[in-house]
Amino acid sequence: MSTPDGEKVMAHLSAVTLDRALSPLAADSVLRHLEGQRQLVAHIKALMRRGRGL
C-alpha cells in the first residue's frame, strides 16, 4: 500500500468487504461468502503490516 495504486486497491477492497453491511434478511450463504471475503482482506492487511515491520 505504499503506492497510490496500492492505496486505491486496498480502499476498494475495504469498501466492498469490511465496510459493507448486509440486511438482516440476507441468506446464510451470502453472509458466509462476505465473511470469507472479509477474512481474506484482513489477511492481506496483516501481511502488509508484517512486511512493514509493524
Side-chain angles (χ1 to χ4, degrees):
M1 197 162 77
S2 60
T3 67
D5 286 340
E7 301 246 349
K8 288 179 186 176
V9 168
M10 290 311 300
H12 173 73
L13 290 175
S14 291
V16 299
T17 58
L18 304 175
D19 301 336
R20 184 174 173 200
L22 296 176
S23 163
L25 302 176
D28 186 59
S29 60
V30 174
L31 292 168
R32 291 176 185 274
H33 182 71
L34 180 57
E35 188 55 33
Q37 291 176 332
R38 287 178 175 160
Q39 181 62 32
L40 179 59
V41 172
H43 181 67
I44 292 169
K45 287 185 171 195
L47 290 173
M48 290 168 52
R49 283 191 301 273
R50 188 182 337 163
R52 289 190 202 120
L54 300 177

